[in-house]
Amino acid sequence: MKFDVLTLFPEMFEALNHSILKKAQENGIIEINPINIRDFSNNKHKKVDDYPYGGGAGMVMQAEPIFNAVDYIINRYGKKPYTIMMSPRGKRFEQSDAKRFLQKEHIVILCGHYEGIDERVLSIVDEEISIGDFVLTGGEIASMAIIDCISRLVPGVLPKEESYQDESFYDGLLEYPQYTRPEVFRGMKVPDVLLSGHHEKIRRWRKYQSLKITYERRPDLLNKKKLTKEEQDMLDEIIKSKEE
C-alpha cells in the first residue's frame, strides 16, 4: 500500500521509519512518501501562503502549489489516487475508517498548516478527516496517526492476524486486561482463569472483561456494535451487577 503525504515538513515523517512500520517499508509491504509542497511553488522564494481575502489573522496556504503537487502525482502514476485532507471540520477518524481506507491501494494525504487552506483545494479532495476535537499546529501528526493505524491492517505488516484482531476498537470494543510474568507483583496476582489453561474459560473471561471496560469507559461504542447473544447476555449481567 502506498501513502503520498503532501506536507510543508517532510522531515517530520522520519518518525515513521522505526519499529513495525520501518520493517514493513523495508519489506516493500507499504510505502510512505513525504512530498514537500514548497517544491511545487512557482514563487522564487518557495512561498506557499498568503494573506486571507477579507482580512483576518494568520496566513492561508495557496491552492496553486497543492494543485501542482497533485498533478505531479497524477502524471507519475497515470491516475489520481484517493485524496484525504486533514481538517478539523472533517469526519472523525475511527477504526472502521481504517478498514475502509485499506481497500485503497494508493492514498494521498494533504496536511494543512497556518490558518487553513484555500477552499478551492477541496475540488481535488475526496474526503476531509479529523482525529478529534482539538487543534494541532499542522496536519502532520494527525496524518501519521492515520498512516500507522491503516498500515497495521495491511497483510504482512504485523506478525500475526491476531495481533490486530484482539486490539481495542477492532471489533468495536475496548481490549480486555493483559498480564505477563511475574504471577504475583507487589501483592497483585494475575487472575486465576488466565493460569488455568482452559481456553474456553479464558475466551469468555476476556470477552466479559472487554464488554465491562467498554460499558464503563466508552458506552457510546456499544450503540454502534451489533452484539451476539453471548455478548448481550454478558452485558445484561454487567449492567445488573452495576445496579445492585
Side-chain angles (χ1 to χ4, degrees):
M1 185 166 191
K2 187 190 304 292
F3 299 94
D4 282 333
V5 189
L6 302 182
T7 172
L8 297 178
F9 302 98
E11 62 276 8
M12 290 182 67
F13 290 85
E14 170 61 26
L16 298 180
N17 293 326
H18 300 277
S19 188
I20 290 171
L21 294 192
K22 178 181 179 180
K23 292 179 181 178
Q25 291 178 80
E26 290 175 345
N27 293 331
I29 301 172
I30 64 172
E31 184 178 330
I32 304 171
N33 303 312
I35 297 174
N36 195 333
I37 296 172
R38 295 185 190 279
D39 292 341
F40 297 90
S41 172
N42 292 326
N43 182 282
K44 66 178 181 179
H45 301 296
K46 298 301 179 183
K47 182 179 172 65
V48 296
D49 63 313
D50 211 329
Y51 295 104
Y53 279 123
M59 306 289 278
V60 175
M61 289 179 66
Q62 296 172 304
E64 185 177 45
I66 296 170
F67 270 78
N68 290 344
V70 172
D71 287 343
Y72 162 79
I73 294 171
I74 293 173
N75 291 333
R76 182 177 180 184
Y77 297 106
K79 62 179 181 179
K80 177 183 172 295
Y82 196 78
T83 302
I84 297 168
M85 184 171 83
M86 304 310 304
S87 168
R89 357 179 259 202
K91 177 188 182 299
R92 182 178 293 187
F93 183 78
E94 298 181 349
Q95 189 71 23
S96 58
D97 295 306
K99 296 178 186 178
R100 179 167 59 87
F101 291 146
L102 189 63
Q103 308 307 312
K104 313 291 183 183
E105 296 181 0
H106 186 184
I107 294 176
V108 172
I109 303 179
L110 170 59
C111 301
H113 210 69
Y114 306 122
E115 289 302 311
I117 298 177
D118 189 304
E119 190 75 6
R120 289 167 288 191
V121 168
L122 288 180
S123 66
I124 54 173
V125 169
D126 295 297
E127 191 167 352
E128 291 181 85
I129 291 291
S130 168
I131 63 168
D133 297 335
F134 50 87
V135 179
L136 296 172
T137 303
E140 283 76 17
I141 293 174
S143 69
M144 283 189 271
I146 287 176
I147 291 171
D148 184 277
C149 183
I150 298 172
S151 296
R152 292 174 64 82
L153 302 181
V154 176
V157 170
L158 296 184
K160 295 183 189 176
E161 186 177 331
E162 292 83 358
S163 296
Y164 65 77
Q165 287 187 344
D166 287 340
E167 291 177 334
S168 290
F169 302 113
Y170 182 79
D171 67 347
L173 300 174
L174 299 183
E175 191 178 10
Y176 49 79
Q178 297 276 19
Y179 298 87
T180 188
R181 293 179 176 81
E183 184 177 326
V184 181
F185 177 71
R186 295 191 178 184
M188 296 177 284
K189 190 176 184 300
V190 175
D192 290 336
V193 64
L194 299 179
L195 307 174
S196 68
H198 194 297
H199 298 300
E200 177 58 17
K201 288 183 178 179
I202 292 173
R203 183 195 68 79
R204 286 183 57 82
W205 181 86
R206 285 175 168 171
K207 177 62 70 174
Y208 184 92
Q209 293 299 319
S210 181
L211 283 162
K212 182 172 181 288
I213 291 172
T214 303
Y215 175 73
E216 292 173 345
R217 302 181 188 180
R218 289 291 306 277
D220 56 296
L221 296 176
L222 295 171
N223 296 327
K224 304 176 184 178
K225 179 173 172 57
K226 184 176 181 180
L227 300 177
T228 64
K229 184 179 184 306
E230 178 188 54
E231 291 171 336
Q232 187 62 60
D233 289 343
M234 287 182 177
L235 181 60
D236 291 341
E237 182 180 337
I238 291 166
I239 295 173
K240 183 178 178 181
S241 68
K242 294 291 183 181
E243 294 175 345
E244 292 176 350

